[in-house]
Amino acid sequence: MRRKPTIRDVAAAAGVSRGTVSRVINGGHWVSPDAREAVEEAIRRTGYTANHAARSLATGRAGSLAFLLTEPQHLLFQDPTFALLLRGAAEALAQRSMTLVLLVAGTPAERANVAHFVSAGHVDGVLLISSHESDPLVDELLEAGVPTVCCGIPLGHEAQVPTVSVDEIASAREMTRYLRGRGHRRIAMIAGPHDTPGGKFRLVGFEEEMGDDFDPALVEEGDYSQESGALAMSRLLARTRDIDAVFAASDLMAAGAVTTLRKAGLRVPDDIAVAGFDDSGLADTHEPALTTMRQPWDRISDGMVSLLLEVIDGARPAPLMLPTTLVVRDSA
Amino acid sequence: MRRKPTIRDVAAAAGVSRGTVSRVINGGHWVSPDAREAVEEAIRRTGYTANHAARSLATGRAGSLAFLLTEPQHLLFQDPTFALLLRGAAEALAQRSMTLVLLVAGTPAERANVAHFVSAGHVDGVLLISSHESDPLVDELLEAGVPTVCCGIPLGHEAQVPTVSVDEIASAREMTRYLRGRGHRRIAMIAGPHDTPGGKFRLVGFEEEMGDDFDPALVEEGDYSQESGALAMSRLLARTRDIDAVFAASDLMAAGAVTTLRKAGLRVPDDIAVAGFDDSGLADTHEPALTTMRQPWDRISDGMVSLLLEVIDGARPAPLMLPTTLVVRDSA
DNA sequence: GCGGGGACTGTGACCGGTCACAGTCTTACC
DNA sequence: GGTAAGACTGTGACCGGTCACAGTCCCCGC
């Protein structure tokens, strides 16, 4: 087996210098048509492929981005949302001939490793997923000067780091308005963790839209997981049965709520309407299919990648806010 | 901002040569205790971290493995199994200071890209997930001499590529035996795709254990997804109501089957018992909690990584077969 | 006819490691 | 006391690209 062809082999085959080959590869400016043609032909003939490592070494760029998950593990397993984002990001990067490196920072040991790895410059930037408030990891990344974009406005770090997000407040208001429009008045909310943007702002939107009808006794908090949704619903039911709709801050929690309601002998949506948030894969196969707010997952992951590349190029891009859409199905 | 310290900075700080520093970093053989100490101290003081790209270039190793998904996308979204494997692999690699590159080969265009990328040597090896029979990608990888290990015996490529798998036949027999032990006689099977090992061999085990009681009319095939499980169950019910248990080749399909049964007014497990396979995250939060065969996901991903590293080192390791365990919950 | 500028090309240094090899310095043994 | 083996160390070449710089060539205008 002969070794892989290098840029010198191509240069020799094309009868030009390494420099010219390099120029052709990188856009081909200031190269004569003849030379360009010869080089392209030579590349084809030799089956040349650029060596990532060598290029990285010379340019000082890694050619890869990290997809950094900071959630506790059980969420990674359960939440289809992560898979959606992950796939979108991988696709967006593949289009740009870059690669996606998956990093999981669950345990403290993992966090240390990850921080070290990233600061060492093994990746050009970080796509930070779902960070809780005042996450020290964000500080570390910022301090180390690692280009970073967040998914969802990182509480406690607003304006310090570019973000891609949806308008949580407006989205929550829209869903609430929809539920009220269907005649529901005693609407409960199963919010997300109050130290996450989705937990905080969806609740704000809900409260704003409910106005005088807002009843703090009808709010419970979960951690986005199915189980936490089921438990939150139990707590609500234990307090009062005077509820005609539930708005959960994630589809997973909505599904958990449905389970609890069913056990309590309540029908969805006949007795109580249930709405979710995310439109994760689970929503439309769920029984009953969940009414939810769709987050534009592909645009989010694509936006994160674009933004991050801008940051890497030295820009300070404005935060990107994307629209959600109400998806009405059977549960509400 | 000063530039990152290199091995030469460390050498200067420690008062030794680059060679010695390099030796310390790589295990420290043939280095005097004094020198080693000085180098370690210098590394600490300078905050030195090895440059991946430079090392790759010099050693000819990428220092990363690809996690290659060949399933159509909708499965990636739904199946918690992938997340389990992915996390396990990422963890196993992090322990070895290597990184995980995620590759998705869904569309033909993506497959071409992936093949090109991998053959170019940008990763040291490939963890191949869930490949259907006679997948041309396997051939391409094999032909290109890319170290590869599969998850589940790749039909049509047995013995050509090292694999990590569970004993599908024995596992299916155990579950079938359990169901029969509970007094069920008319047991239906919702099998996986017949061109996947899980689809083929779980059915074989089922058939073997059923012996004379095996009824081909009670077998339907799904694609492991929840929806396909629901549809398969519908087809079974349309054919006969004389069924007292269903064995699905995945938890997702089991969940789908439960939905269909419920719609048909049948109670699980009272009227019909339902068993799944995988013990994916969903199984124990499902309502009712699913009886299933647990696959040892962490050992599988860890085994794949170990095996792949052996292959990369030139070994030809024996296939690894891991045990499953019957997990009895509420559904059967 | 000459100077100057734009288009194109080639060269050598460099990125930050590893590795083979050629030392040097001990120690041990005859 | 000489020598050889073993322990340790330093050096230069090399991995495969990129980039800055220095040419070279050609065309144009004065």
mmCIF file with all atom_site columns, all heavy atoms in Angstrom, chain D residues 2-3 13 15-16 20 25 29-30:
data_model
loop_
_atom_site.group_PDB
_atom_site.id
_atom_site.type_symbol
_atom_site.label_atom_id
_atom_site.label_alt_id
_atom_site.label_comp_id
_atom_site.label_asym_id
_atom_site.label_entity_id
_atom_site.label_seq_id
_atom_site.pdbx_PDB_ins_code
_atom_site.Cartn_x
_atom_site.Cartn_y
_atom_site.Cartn_z
_atom_site.occupancy
_atom_site.B_iso_or_equiv
_atom_site.pdbx_formal_charge
_atom_site.auth_seq_id
_atom_site.auth_comp_id
_atom_site.auth_asym_id
_atom_site.auth_atom_id
_atom_site.pdbx_PDB_model_num
ATOM 1   P P     . DG D 1 2  ? 43.529 1.866  31.064  1.00 0.00 ? 2  DG D P     1
ATOM 2   O OP1   . DG D 1 2  ? 44.609 2.159  30.111  1.00 0.00 ? 2  DG D OP1   1
ATOM 3   O OP2   . DG D 1 2  ? 42.696 2.952  31.628  1.00 0.00 ? 2  DG D OP2   1
ATOM 4   O "O5'" . DG D 1 2  ? 42.579 0.767  30.411  1.00 0.00 ? 2  DG D "O5'" 1
ATOM 5   C "C5'" . DG D 1 2  ? 43.128 -0.535 30.087  1.00 0.00 ? 2  DG D "C5'" 1
ATOM 6   C "C4'" . DG D 1 2  ? 42.045 -1.334 29.411  1.00 0.00 ? 2  DG D "C4'" 1
ATOM 7   O "O4'" . DG D 1 2  ? 41.083 -1.751 30.417  1.00 0.00 ? 2  DG D "O4'" 1
ATOM 8   C "C3'" . DG D 1 2  ? 41.250 -0.559 28.356  1.00 0.00 ? 2  DG D "C3'" 1
ATOM 9   O "O3'" . DG D 1 2  ? 40.979 -1.460 27.280  1.00 0.00 ? 2  DG D "O3'" 1
ATOM 10  C "C2'" . DG D 1 2  ? 40.000 -0.104 29.083  1.00 0.00 ? 2  DG D "C2'" 1
ATOM 11  C "C1'" . DG D 1 2  ? 39.781 -1.245 30.086  1.00 0.00 ? 2  DG D "C1'" 1
ATOM 12  N N9    . DG D 1 2  ? 39.152 -0.838 31.346  1.00 0.00 ? 2  DG D N9    1
ATOM 13  C C8    . DG D 1 2  ? 39.344 0.320  32.054  1.00 0.00 ? 2  DG D C8    1
ATOM 14  N N7    . DG D 1 2  ? 38.654 0.370  33.158  1.00 0.00 ? 2  DG D N7    1
ATOM 15  C C5    . DG D 1 2  ? 37.956 -0.834 33.185  1.00 0.00 ? 2  DG D C5    1
ATOM 16  C C6    . DG D 1 2  ? 37.045 -1.346 34.145  1.00 0.00 ? 2  DG D C6    1
ATOM 17  O O6    . DG D 1 2  ? 36.665 -0.835 35.191  1.00 0.00 ? 2  DG D O6    1
ATOM 18  N N1    . DG D 1 2  ? 36.574 -2.605 33.790  1.00 0.00 ? 2  DG D N1    1
ATOM 19  C C2    . DG D 1 2  ? 36.935 -3.277 32.653  1.00 0.00 ? 2  DG D C2    1
ATOM 20  N N2    . DG D 1 2  ? 36.385 -4.474 32.464  1.00 0.00 ? 2  DG D N2    1
ATOM 21  N N3    . DG D 1 2  ? 37.790 -2.813 31.739  1.00 0.00 ? 2  DG D N3    1
ATOM 22  C C4    . DG D 1 2  ? 38.261 -1.584 32.076  1.00 0.00 ? 2  DG D C4    1
ATOM 23  P P     . DT D 1 3  ? 40.285 -0.972 25.969  1.00 0.00 ? 3  DT D P     1
ATOM 24  O OP1   . DT D 1 3  ? 41.012 -1.575 24.835  1.00 0.00 ? 3  DT D OP1   1
ATOM 25  O OP2   . DT D 1 3  ? 40.105 0.501  26.058  1.00 0.00 ? 3  DT D OP2   1
ATOM 26  O "O5'" . DT D 1 3  ? 38.877 -1.685 26.092  1.00 0.00 ? 3  DT D "O5'" 1
ATOM 27  C "C5'" . DT D 1 3  ? 38.814 -3.060 26.501  1.00 0.00 ? 3  DT D "C5'" 1
ATOM 28  C "C4'" . DT D 1 3  ? 37.363 -3.424 26.731  1.00 0.00 ? 3  DT D "C4'" 1
ATOM 29  O "O4'" . DT D 1 3  ? 36.940 -2.972 28.056  1.00 0.00 ? 3  DT D "O4'" 1
ATOM 30  C "C3'" . DT D 1 3  ? 36.382 -2.791 25.742  1.00 0.00 ? 3  DT D "C3'" 1
ATOM 31  O "O3'" . DT D 1 3  ? 35.431 -3.765 25.375  1.00 0.00 ? 3  DT D "O3'" 1
ATOM 32  C "C2'" . DT D 1 3  ? 35.756 -1.652 26.545  1.00 0.00 ? 3  DT D "C2'" 1
ATOM 33  C "C1'" . DT D 1 3  ? 35.714 -2.284 27.940  1.00 0.00 ? 3  DT D "C1'" 1
ATOM 34  N N1    . DT D 1 3  ? 35.609 -1.348 29.083  1.00 0.00 ? 3  DT D N1    1
ATOM 35  C C2    . DT D 1 3  ? 34.849 -1.719 30.166  1.00 0.00 ? 3  DT D C2    1
ATOM 36  O O2    . DT D 1 3  ? 34.276 -2.767 30.247  1.00 0.00 ? 3  DT D O2    1
ATOM 37  N N3    . DT D 1 3  ? 34.808 -0.784 31.185  1.00 0.00 ? 3  DT D N3    1
ATOM 38  C C4    . DT D 1 3  ? 35.424 0.457  31.213  1.00 0.00 ? 3  DT D C4    1
ATOM 39  O O4    . DT D 1 3  ? 35.312 1.198  32.189  1.00 0.00 ? 3  DT D O4    1
ATOM 40  C C5    . DT D 1 3  ? 36.189 0.779  30.039  1.00 0.00 ? 3  DT D C5    1
ATOM 41  C C7    . DT D 1 3  ? 36.893 2.107  29.964  1.00 0.00 ? 3  DT D C7    1
ATOM 42  C C6    . DT D 1 3  ? 36.252 -0.122 29.022  1.00 0.00 ? 3  DT D C6    1
ATOM 43  P P     . DA D 1 13 ? 19.282 18.222 9.320   1.00 0.00 ? 13 DA D P     1
ATOM 44  O OP1   . DA D 1 13 ? 20.442 18.145 8.417   1.00 0.00 ? 13 DA D OP1   1
ATOM 45  O OP2   . DA D 1 13 ? 18.622 19.528 9.578   1.00 0.00 ? 13 DA D OP2   1
ATOM 46  O "O5'" . DA D 1 13 ? 18.186 17.180 8.813   1.00 0.00 ? 13 DA D "O5'" 1
ATOM 47  C "C5'" . DA D 1 13 ? 18.427 15.784 9.039   1.00 0.00 ? 13 DA D "C5'" 1
ATOM 48  C "C4'" . DA D 1 13 ? 17.117 15.040 8.972   1.00 0.00 ? 13 DA D "C4'" 1
ATOM 49  O "O4'" . DA D 1 13 ? 16.398 15.190 10.230  1.00 0.00 ? 13 DA D "O4'" 1
ATOM 50  C "C3'" . DA D 1 13 ? 16.169 15.530 7.877   1.00 0.00 ? 13 DA D "C3'" 1
ATOM 51  O "O3'" . DA D 1 13 ? 15.599 14.398 7.265   1.00 0.00 ? 13 DA D "O3'" 1
ATOM 52  C "C2'" . DA D 1 13 ? 15.153 16.368 8.638   1.00 0.00 ? 13 DA D "C2'" 1
ATOM 53  C "C1'" . DA D 1 13 ? 15.068 15.599 9.953   1.00 0.00 ? 13 DA D "C1'" 1
ATOM 54  N N9    . DA D 1 13 ? 14.602 16.379 11.105  1.00 0.00 ? 13 DA D N9    1
ATOM 55  C C8    . DA D 1 13 ? 14.944 17.659 11.443  1.00 0.00 ? 13 DA D C8    1
ATOM 56  N N7    . DA D 1 13 ? 14.370 18.088 12.540  1.00 0.00 ? 13 DA D N7    1
ATOM 57  C C5    . DA D 1 13 ? 13.597 17.020 12.955  1.00 0.00 ? 13 DA D C5    1
ATOM 58  C C6    . DA D 1 13 ? 12.753 16.835 14.062  1.00 0.00 ? 13 DA D C6    1
ATOM 59  N N6    . DA D 1 13 ? 12.527 17.760 14.991  1.00 0.00 ? 13 DA D N6    1
ATOM 60  N N1    . DA D 1 13 ? 12.130 15.639 14.181  1.00 0.00 ? 13 DA D N1    1
ATOM 61  C C2    . DA D 1 13 ? 12.351 14.709 13.246  1.00 0.00 ? 13 DA D C2    1
ATOM 62  N N3    . DA D 1 13 ? 13.133 14.753 12.165  1.00 0.00 ? 13 DA D N3    1
ATOM 63  C C4    . DA D 1 13 ? 13.736 15.957 12.083  1.00 0.00 ? 13 DA D C4    1
ATOM 64  P P     . DC D 1 15 ? 8.520  13.213 5.452   1.00 0.00 ? 15 DC D P     1
ATOM 65  O OP1   . DC D 1 15 ? 8.645  11.975 4.674   1.00 0.00 ? 15 DC D OP1   1
ATOM 66  O OP2   . DC D 1 15 ? 8.758  14.522 4.816   1.00 0.00 ? 15 DC D OP2   1
ATOM 67  O "O5'" . DC D 1 15 ? 7.075  13.257 6.097   1.00 0.00 ? 15 DC D "O5'" 1
ATOM 68  C "C5'" . DC D 1 15 ? 6.675  12.379 7.128   1.00 0.00 ? 15 DC D "C5'" 1
ATOM 69  C "C4'" . DC D 1 15 ? 5.520  13.002 7.866   1.00 0.00 ? 15 DC D "C4'" 1
ATOM 70  O "O4'" . DC D 1 15 ? 6.036  13.900 8.861   1.00 0.00 ? 15 DC D "O4'" 1
ATOM 71  C "C3'" . DC D 1 15 ? 4.642  13.869 6.960   1.00 0.00 ? 15 DC D "C3'" 1
ATOM 72  O "O3'" . DC D 1 15 ? 3.532  13.098 6.531   1.00 0.00 ? 15 DC D "O3'" 1
ATOM 73  C "C2'" . DC D 1 15 ? 4.201  15.020 7.854   1.00 0.00 ? 15 DC D "C2'" 1
ATOM 74  C "C1'" . DC D 1 15 ? 5.118  14.949 9.074   1.00 0.00 ? 15 DC D "C1'" 1
ATOM 75  N N1    . DC D 1 15 ? 5.913  16.184 9.333   1.00 0.00 ? 15 DC D N1    1
ATOM 76  C C2    . DC D 1 15 ? 5.871  16.769 10.597  1.00 0.00 ? 15 DC D C2    1
ATOM 77  O O2    . DC D 1 15 ? 5.158  16.258 11.455  1.00 0.00 ? 15 DC D O2    1
ATOM 78  N N3    . DC D 1 15 ? 6.615  17.878 10.828  1.00 0.00 ? 15 DC D N3    1
ATOM 79  C C4    . DC D 1 15 ? 7.372  18.397 9.856   1.00 0.00 ? 15 DC D C4    1
ATOM 80  N N4    . DC D 1 15 ? 8.091  19.490 10.145  1.00 0.00 ? 15 DC D N4    1
ATOM 81  C C5    . DC D 1 15 ? 7.429  17.805 8.563   1.00 0.00 ? 15 DC D C5    1
ATOM 82  C C6    . DC D 1 15 ? 6.689  16.713 8.348   1.00 0.00 ? 15 DC D C6    1
ATOM 83  P P     . DG D 1 16 ? 3.211  13.082 4.948   1.00 0.00 ? 16 DG D P     1
ATOM 84  O OP1   . DG D 1 16 ? 2.301  11.949 4.704   1.00 0.00 ? 16 DG D OP1   1
ATOM 85  O OP2   . DG D 1 16 ? 4.475  13.206 4.196   1.00 0.00 ? 16 DG D OP2   1
ATOM 86  O "O5'" . DG D 1 16 ? 2.391  14.428 4.734   1.00 0.00 ? 16 DG D "O5'" 1
ATOM 87  C "C5'" . DG D 1 16 ? 1.194  14.621 5.453   1.00 0.00 ? 16 DG D "C5'" 1
ATOM 88  C "C4'" . DG D 1 16 ? 0.764  16.066 5.323   1.00 0.00 ? 16 DG D "C4'" 1
ATOM 89  O "O4'" . DG D 1 16 ? 1.711  16.907 6.011   1.00 0.00 ? 16 DG D "O4'" 1
ATOM 90  C "C3'" . DG D 1 16 ? 0.728  16.578 3.877   1.00 0.00 ? 16 DG D "C3'" 1
ATOM 91  O "O3'" . DG D 1 16 ? -0.404 17.403 3.752   1.00 0.00 ? 16 DG D "O3'" 1
ATOM 92  C "C2'" . DG D 1 16 ? 1.998  17.400 3.777   1.00 0.00 ? 16 DG D "C2'" 1
ATOM 93  C "C1'" . DG D 1 16 ? 2.033  17.995 5.170   1.00 0.00 ? 16 DG D "C1'" 1
ATOM 94  N N9    . DG D 1 16 ? 3.322  18.517 5.575   1.00 0.00 ? 16 DG D N9    1
ATOM 95  C C8    . DG D 1 16 ? 4.561  18.132 5.126   1.00 0.00 ? 16 DG D C8    1
ATOM 96  N N7    . DG D 1 16 ? 5.527  18.802 5.682   1.00 0.00 ? 16 DG D N7    1
ATOM 97  C C5    . DG D 1 16 ? 4.900  19.685 6.549   1.00 0.00 ? 16 DG D C5    1
ATOM 98  C C6    . DG D 1 16 ? 5.438  20.675 7.418   1.00 0.00 ? 16 DG D C6    1
ATOM 99  O O6    . DG D 1 16 ? 6.623  20.964 7.602   1.00 0.00 ? 16 DG D O6    1
ATOM 100 N N1    . DG D 1 16 ? 4.442  21.349 8.128   1.00 0.00 ? 16 DG D N1    1
ATOM 101 C C2    . DG D 1 16 ? 3.101  21.098 8.000   1.00 0.00 ? 16 DG D C2    1
ATOM 102 N N2    . DG D 1 16 ? 2.297  21.844 8.760   1.00 0.00 ? 16 DG D N2    1
ATOM 103 N N3    . DG D 1 16 ? 2.587  20.181 7.192   1.00 0.00 ? 16 DG D N3    1
ATOM 104 C C4    . DG D 1 16 ? 3.533  19.518 6.498   1.00 0.00 ? 16 DG D C4    1
ATOM 105 P P     . DA D 1 20 ? 0.609  36.053 5.045   1.00 0.00 ? 20 DA D P     1
ATOM 106 O OP1   . DA D 1 20 ? -0.161 36.654 6.154   1.00 0.00 ? 20 DA D OP1   1
ATOM 107 O OP2   . DA D 1 20 ? 0.059  36.050 3.675   1.00 0.00 ? 20 DA D OP2   1
ATOM 108 O "O5'" . DA D 1 20 ? 2.055  36.711 5.012   1.00 0.00 ? 20 DA D "O5'" 1
ATOM 109 C "C5'" . DA D 1 20 ? 3.045  36.249 5.932   1.00 0.00 ? 20 DA D "C5'" 1
ATOM 110 C "C4'" . DA D 1 20 ? 4.430  36.504 5.368   1.00 0.00 ? 20 DA D "C4'" 1
ATOM 111 O "O4'" . DA D 1 20 ? 4.800  35.438 4.446   1.00 0.00 ? 20 DA D "O4'" 1
ATOM 112 C "C3'" . DA D 1 20 ? 4.571  37.807 4.588   1.00 0.00 ? 20 DA D "C3'" 1
ATOM 113 O "O3'" . DA D 1 20 ? 5.849  38.351 4.872   1.00 0.00 ? 20 DA D "O3'" 1
ATOM 114 C "C2'" . DA D 1 20 ? 4.440  37.363 3.122   1.00 0.00 ? 20 DA D "C2'" 1
ATOM 115 C "C1'" . DA D 1 20 ? 5.083  35.982 3.166   1.00 0.00 ? 20 DA D "C1'" 1
ATOM 116 N N9    . DA D 1 20 ? 4.553  35.026 2.186   1.00 0.00 ? 20 DA D N9    1
ATOM 117 C C8    . DA D 1 20 ? 3.250  34.866 1.803   1.00 0.00 ? 20 DA D C8    1
ATOM 118 N N7    . DA D 1 20 ? 3.065  33.904 0.918   1.00 0.00 ? 20 DA D N7    1
ATOM 119 C C5    . DA D 1 20 ? 4.336  33.396 0.716   1.00 0.00 ? 20 DA D C5    1
ATOM 120 C C6    . DA D 1 20 ? 4.826  32.358 -0.099  1.00 0.00 ? 20 DA D C6    1
ATOM 121 N N6    . DA D 1 20 ? 4.042  31.614 -0.898  1.00 0.00 ? 20 DA D N6    1
ATOM 122 N N1    . DA D 1 20 ? 6.154  32.105 -0.068  1.00 0.00 ? 20 DA D N1    1
ATOM 123 C C2    . DA D 1 20 ? 6.936  32.848 0.728   1.00 0.00 ? 20 DA D C2    1
ATOM 124 N N3    . DA D 1 20 ? 6.586  33.848 1.550   1.00 0.00 ? 20 DA D N3    1
ATOM 125 C C4    . DA D 1 20 ? 5.267  34.075 1.493   1.00 0.00 ? 20 DA D C4    1
ATOM 126 P P     . DC D 1 25 ? 11.122 35.260 -17.124 1.00 0.00 ? 25 DC D P     1
ATOM 127 O OP1   . DC D 1 25 ? 11.431 33.926 -17.700 1.00 0.00 ? 25 DC D OP1   1
ATOM 128 O OP2   . DC D 1 25 ? 12.088 36.375 -17.223 1.00 0.00 ? 25 DC D OP2   1
ATOM 129 O "O5'" . DC D 1 25 ? 9.728  35.733 -17.699 1.00 0.00 ? 25 DC D "O5'" 1
ATOM 130 C "C5'" . DC D 1 25 ? 8.569  34.952 -17.420 1.00 0.00 ? 25 DC D "C5'" 1
ATOM 131 C "C4'" . DC D 1 25 ? 7.355  35.810 -17.673 1.00 0.00 ? 25 DC D "C4'" 1
ATOM 132 O "O4'" . DC D 1 25 ? 7.197  36.765 -16.612 1.00 0.00 ? 25 DC D "O4'" 1
ATOM 133 C "C3'" . DC D 1 25 ? 7.424  36.614 -18.975 1.00 0.00 ? 25 DC D "C3'" 1
ATOM 134 O "O3'" . DC D 1 25 ? 6.381  36.165 -19.809 1.00 0.00 ? 25 DC D "O3'" 1
ATOM 135 C "C2'" . DC D 1 25 ? 7.254  38.067 -18.533 1.00 0.00 ? 25 DC D "C2'" 1
ATOM 136 C "C1'" . DC D 1 25 ? 6.593  37.917 -17.161 1.00 0.00 ? 25 DC D "C1'" 1
ATOM 137 N N1    . DC D 1 25 ? 6.821  39.023 -16.207 1.00 0.00 ? 25 DC D N1    1
ATOM 138 C C2    . DC D 1 25 ? 5.722  39.604 -15.563 1.00 0.00 ? 25 DC D C2    1
ATOM 139 O O2    . DC D 1 25 ? 4.582  39.195 -15.821 1.00 0.00 ? 25 DC D O2    1
ATOM 140 N N3    . DC D 1 25 ? 5.923  40.626 -14.681 1.00 0.00 ? 25 DC D N3    1
ATOM 141 C C4    . DC D 1 25 ? 7.172  41.045 -14.433 1.00 0.00 ? 25 DC D C4    1
ATOM 142 N N4    . DC D 1 25 ? 7.314  42.040 -13.548 1.00 0.00 ? 25 DC D N4    1
ATOM 143 C C5    . DC D 1 25 ? 8.305  40.462 -15.071 1.00 0.00 ? 25 DC D C5    1
ATOM 144 C C6    . DC D 1 25 ? 8.092  39.462 -15.943 1.00 0.00 ? 25 DC D C6    1
ATOM 145 P P     . DG D 1 29 ? -2.987 52.036 -22.229 1.00 0.00 ? 29 DG D P     1
ATOM 146 O OP1   . DG D 1 29 ? -4.384 52.372 -21.888 1.00 0.00 ? 29 DG D OP1   1
ATOM 147 O OP2   . DG D 1 29 ? -2.591 51.772 -23.627 1.00 0.00 ? 29 DG D OP2   1
ATOM 148 O "O5'" . DG D 1 29 ? -2.045 53.186 -21.663 1.00 0.00 ? 29 DG D "O5'" 1
ATOM 149 C "C5'" . DG D 1 29 ? -1.839 53.301 -20.249 1.00 0.00 ? 29 DG D "C5'" 1
ATOM 150 C "C4'" . DG D 1 29 ? -0.712 54.294 -19.999 1.00 0.00 ? 29 DG D "C4'" 1
ATOM 151 O "O4'" . DG D 1 29 ? 0.569  53.649 -20.273 1.00 0.00 ? 29 DG D "O4'" 1
ATOM 152 C "C3'" . DG D 1 29 ? -0.771 55.523 -20.906 1.00 0.00 ? 29 DG D "C3'" 1
ATOM 153 O "O3'" . DG D 1 29 ? -0.393 56.664 -20.151 1.00 0.00 ? 29 DG D "O3'" 1
ATOM 154 C "C2'" . DG D 1 29 ? 0.244  55.220 -22.003 1.00 0.00 ? 29 DG D "C2'" 1
ATOM 155 C "C1'" . DG D 1 29 ? 1.283  54.399 -21.254 1.00 0.00 ? 29 DG D "C1'" 1
ATOM 156 N N9    . DG D 1 29 ? 2.006  53.441 -22.090 1.00 0.00 ? 29 DG D N9    1
ATOM 157 C C8    . DG D 1 29 ? 1.500  52.696 -23.136 1.00 0.00 ? 29 DG D C8    1
ATOM 158 N N7    . DG D 1 29 ? 2.390  51.915 -23.685 1.00 0.00 ? 29 DG D N7    1
ATOM 159 C C5    . DG D 1 29 ? 3.565  52.159 -22.967 1.00 0.00 ? 29 DG D C5    1
ATOM 160 C C6    . DG D 1 29 ? 4.857  51.608 -23.113 1.00 0.00 ? 29 DG D C6    1
ATOM 161 O O6    . DG D 1 29 ? 5.240  50.759 -23.917 1.00 0.00 ? 29 DG D O6    1
ATOM 162 N N1    . DG D 1 29 ? 5.750  52.130 -22.174 1.00 0.00 ? 29 DG D N1    1
ATOM 163 C C2    . DG D 1 29 ? 5.430  53.068 -21.231 1.00 0.00 ? 29 DG D C2    1
ATOM 164 N N2    . DG D 1 29 ? 6.409  53.442 -20.431 1.00 0.00 ? 29 DG D N2    1
ATOM 165 N N3    . DG D 1 29 ? 4.216  53.596 -21.082 1.00 0.00 ? 29 DG D N3    1
ATOM 166 C C4    . DG D 1 29 ? 3.339  53.096 -21.986 1.00 0.00 ? 29 DG D C4    1
ATOM 167 P P     . DC D 1 30 ? -0.552 58.098 -20.738 1.00 0.00 ? 30 DC D P     1
ATOM 168 O OP1   . DC D 1 30 ? -1.327 58.875 -19.740 1.00 0.00 ? 30 DC D OP1   1
ATOM 169 O OP2   . DC D 1 30 ? -1.012 57.988 -22.139 1.00 0.00 ? 30 DC D OP2   1
ATOM 170 O "O5'" . DC D 1 30 ? 0.939  58.642 -20.740 1.00 0.00 ? 30 DC D "O5'" 1
ATOM 171 C "C5'" . DC D 1 30 ? 1.745  58.526 -19.559 1.00 0.00 ? 30 DC D "C5'" 1
ATOM 172 C "C4'" . DC D 1 30 ? 3.211  58.747 -19.937 1.00 0.00 ? 30 DC D "C4'" 1
ATOM 173 O "O4'" . DC D 1 30 ? 3.691  57.625 -20.706 1.00 0.00 ? 30 DC D "O4'" 1
ATOM 174 C "C3'" . DC D 1 30 ? 3.458  59.995 -20.797 1.00 0.00 ? 30 DC D "C3'" 1
ATOM 175 O "O3'" . DC D 1 30 ? 4.589  60.676 -20.312 1.00 0.00 ? 30 DC D "O3'" 1
ATOM 176 C "C2'" . DC D 1 30 ? 3.716  59.447 -22.190 1.00 0.00 ? 30 DC D "C2'" 1
ATOM 177 C "C1'" . DC D 1 30 ? 4.371  58.098 -21.862 1.00 0.00 ? 30 DC D "C1'" 1
ATOM 178 N N1    . DC D 1 30 ? 4.220  57.085 -22.928 1.00 0.00 ? 30 DC D N1    1
ATOM 179 C C2    . DC D 1 30 ? 5.292  56.211 -23.172 1.00 0.00 ? 30 DC D C2    1
ATOM 180 O O2    . DC D 1 30 ? 6.321  56.294 -22.496 1.00 0.00 ? 30 DC D O2    1
ATOM 181 N N3    . DC D 1 30 ? 5.161  55.253 -24.143 1.00 0.00 ? 30 DC D N3    1
ATOM 182 C C4    . DC D 1 30 ? 4.031  55.179 -24.854 1.00 0.00 ? 30 DC D C4    1
ATOM 183 N N4    . DC D 1 30 ? 3.943  54.230 -25.792 1.00 0.00 ? 30 DC D N4    1
ATOM 184 C C5    . DC D 1 30 ? 2.932  56.056 -24.624 1.00 0.00 ? 30 DC D C5    1
ATOM 185 C C6    . DC D 1 30 ? 3.072  56.984 -23.662 1.00 0.00 ? 30 DC D C6    1
#
